């Protein structure tokens, strides 16, 4: 268990880890991939190819000079057949590069492991790999790994909690790519000169804990830490507290308290690039939910339509009412299965009408369960009142921006109020800075 006797508030959720023991299956190359130029927080990439160009696997097809960015590579070999505008899930315009595949998967000539001698060449390699936070945040990794106060960072924490129900892709990565994971951790510690590495894993993944502990038994600088199996154990602020006992002050970043956090899949993808020169071009995704016929863990080329993954998993066994990209607690609903797998896609969940229909809200009974469940120690009902009144000052006073939208408050609410969503709207109201 964690070394700390005190824990942040958390909740118990049903795990539904139906695919935990399903080895990852690599799906066939689709006829077409649709690769978004918006795959990270920050400035969108601009296409570096034109319609009619022939491309190969690993070739840069999108990039920008903006600092907060990461290059985007072709996941297939084939021909660029379109570059179109499209709306993303968040409602912003995106450029989509459509590549009609030749099914040969020819690799770009000259791809080779990067030359890494020191921190600067390591950070350069991280950017070249196209890596972003693969757990969902999609923040460019080369920026996260290079804070201004790097010399004050003493802990590199790898997030192996995977606390969201249904999702098992990270667990399969720990079991199937453990050598890449440990070597990636060692290289990160070495080149960033960080003294301590921690892999935080929930107690419900005992095989992964045992396997990784055996691999690092002669490396005292690395600890595989067993965490409580509760939600949201994988939240960045929660994970840092549970593994180091440190709290992130409001407005501060993990590096400000001496920590850098990365996802399991991110470290594996980085080490794969270091060893082979192949950038991030595919993603391991859990396909599950009660509307899918055969739940699986699938490795798919980035840009693969969701519908192709569904077909690879036997299709729908009942009509889907809702499709979620990510986990059921923090994921985002997509409006159709024509959307595509992006770098930060961790799961595709499909639910029928019975599971997808939200229960009817009833009046608040002032039970306080939402307050007890909030890992950030917020007061969701007061935040909801402040939002209803469009009271920006009160929202700020109640620290609405600390809300990480984990959904714990909504989950435990007996009145079925969508408190987490209201907090999201409250944060937006504060950002816009005034009453509406």
């Amino acid at each position: 268990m964690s070394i700390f006797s005190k824990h942040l508030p958390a909740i118990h959720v049903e795990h539904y880890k139906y695919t935990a023991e399903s080895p990852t299956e690599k799906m066939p190359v689709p006829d077409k991939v649709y690769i978004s130029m918006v795959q990270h927080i920050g400035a969108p990439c601009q296409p570096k190819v034109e319609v009619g160009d022939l491309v190969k696997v690993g070739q840069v097809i999108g990039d920008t000079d903006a600092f907060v960015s990461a290059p985007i590579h072709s996941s297939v070999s084939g021909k660029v057949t379109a570059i179109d505008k499209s709306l993303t899930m968040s409602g912003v315009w995106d450029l989509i590069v459509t590549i009609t595949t030749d099914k040969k998967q020819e690799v770009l000539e000259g791809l080779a492991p990067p030359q890494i001698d020191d921190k600067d060449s390591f950070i350069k390699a991280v950017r070249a790999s196209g890596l972003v936070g693969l757990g969902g945040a999609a923040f460019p990794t080369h920026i996260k790994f290079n804070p201004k106060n790097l010399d004050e960072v003493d802990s590199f924490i790898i997030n192996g909690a995977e606390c969201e129900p249904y999702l098992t892709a990270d667990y399969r990565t720990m079991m199937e790519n453990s050598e890449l994971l440990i070597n990636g951790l060692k290289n990160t510690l070495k080149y960033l000169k960080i003294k301590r590495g921690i892999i935080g894993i929930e107690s419900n993944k005992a095989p992964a804990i045992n396997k990784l502990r055996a691999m690092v038994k002669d490396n005292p600088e690395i600890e595989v830490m067993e965490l409580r199996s509760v939600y949201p154990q994988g939240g960045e602020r929660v994970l840092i507290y549970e593994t180091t006992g440190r709290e992130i002050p409001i407005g501060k970043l993990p590096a400000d308290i001496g920590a850098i956090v990365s996802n399991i899949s991110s470290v594996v993808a980085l080490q794969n690039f270091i060893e082979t020169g192949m950038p991030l071009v595919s993603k391991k995704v859990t396909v599950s939910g009660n509307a899918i016929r055969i739940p699986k863990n699938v490795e798919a080329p980035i840009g693969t339509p969701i519908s192709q993954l569904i077909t690879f998993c036997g299709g729908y066994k009942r009509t889907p009412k809702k499709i979620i990209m990510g986990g059921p607690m923090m994921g985002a609903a997509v409006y159709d299965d024509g959307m595509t797998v992006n770098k930060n896609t961790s799961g595709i969940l499909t639910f029928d009408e019975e599971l997808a229909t939200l229960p009817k809200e009833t009046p608040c009974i002032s039970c306080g369960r939402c307050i007890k469940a909030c890992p950030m120690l917020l007061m969701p009902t007061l935040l909801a009142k402040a939002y209803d009144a469009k009271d920006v000052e009160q929202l700020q006073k109640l620290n609405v921006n600390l809300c990480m939208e984990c959904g714990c408050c909504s989950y435990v609410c007996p009145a079925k109020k969508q408190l987490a969503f209201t907090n999201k709207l409250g944060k937006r109201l504060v950002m816009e800075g005034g009453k509406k």
Side-chain angles (χ1 to χ4, degrees), residues 302-315:
I302 288 173
T304 299
I306 293 173
S307 58
Q308 298 288 304
L309 272 80
I310 300 296
T311 300
F312 185 65
C313 294

Side-chain angles (χ1 to χ4, degrees), residues 146-340:
N146 194 24
K148 293 178 180 177
N149 66 332
L150 182 58
D151 58 334
E152 298 174 5
V153 173
D154 61 13
S155 300
F156 180 64
I157 304 167
I158 298 181
N159 185 357
E162 199 167 49
C163 56
E164 280 265 14
Y166 293 95
L167 303 186
T168 61
D170 278 353
Y171 172 68
R172 293 314 310 172
T173 298
M174 287 188 276
M175 298 301 292
E176 296 166 2
N177 306 107
S178 48
E179 191 168 340
L180 285 173
L181 172 62
I182 299 301
N183 289 338
L185 169 55
K186 290 179 178 176
N187 275 324
T188 304
L189 296 180
K190 174 183 175 183
Y191 290 114
L192 299 187
K193 299 187 185 314
I194 298 176
K195 296 177 181 176
R196 183 188 185 201
I198 301 170
I199 306 174
I201 306 174
E202 281 193 348
S203 58
N204 63 351
K205 302 174 183 65
I209 293 171
N210 294 335
K211 182 173 187 177
L212 296 177
R213 278 181 173 168
M215 294 178 69
V216 300
K217 61 183 174 59
D218 297 324
N219 299 96
E221 75 279 15
I222 298 175
E223 179 180 2
V224 178
M225 190 175 291
E226 181 178 332
L227 306 172
R228 295 184 303 157
S229 182
V230 292
Y231 180 85
Q233 195 69 271
E236 190 171 66
R237 288 174 177 269
V238 177
L239 183 66
I240 291 174
Y241 181 82
E242 296 290 331
T243 54
T244 69
R246 301 172 188 169
E247 296 181 49
I248 305 176
I250 295 174
K252 298 295 183 180
L253 297 171
D256 294 322
I257 58 167
I260 292 176
V261 178
S262 187
N263 174 264
I264 285 281
S265 297
S266 300
V267 178
V268 167
L270 173 59
Q271 184 60 24
N272 184 59
F273 179 71
I274 290 173
E275 294 184 8
T276 68
M278 180 57 70
L280 181 62
V281 295
S282 66
K283 190 73 199 313
K284 196 174 289 187
V285 177
T286 299
V287 184
S288 190
N290 75 337
I292 196 73
R293 188 169 301 280
I294 309 173
K296 293 181 179 181
N297 289 300
V298 181
E299 182 177 347
I302 288 173
T304 299
I306 293 173
S307 58
Q308 298 288 304
L309 272 80
I310 300 296
T311 300
F312 185 65
C313 294
Y316 297 112
K317 65 180 180 182
R318 51 180 67 110
T319 303
K321 175 70 174 180
K322 180 175 283 187
I323 301 174
I324 295 175
M325 192 174 282
M329 300 295 286
M330 294 187 72
V334 299
Y335 50 81
D336 68 44
D337 58 12
M339 304 292 284
T340 58

Side-chain angles (χ1 to χ4, degrees), residues 18-52:
Y18 303 127
T19 53
E21 301 310 320
S22 302
T24 305
E25 298 182 33
K26 195 168 185 175
M27 68 172 290
V29 178
D31 293 335
K32 291 183 179 180
V33 293
Y34 305 85
I35 301 180
S36 164
M37 294 291 105
V38 179
Q39 299 212 35
H40 51 258
I41 291 175
C45 285
Q46 295 300 314
K48 299 299 179 184
V49 290
E50 296 180 351
V51 174

Side-chain angles (χ1 to χ4, degrees), residues 76-96:
V76 297
S77 60
K79 185 176 184 178
V80 177
T81 49
I83 300 176
D84 300 309
K85 274 190 173 181
S86 178
L87 274 177
T88 68
M89 289 190 300
S90 55
V92 300
W93 285 104
D94 185 11
L95 285 174
I96 306 292

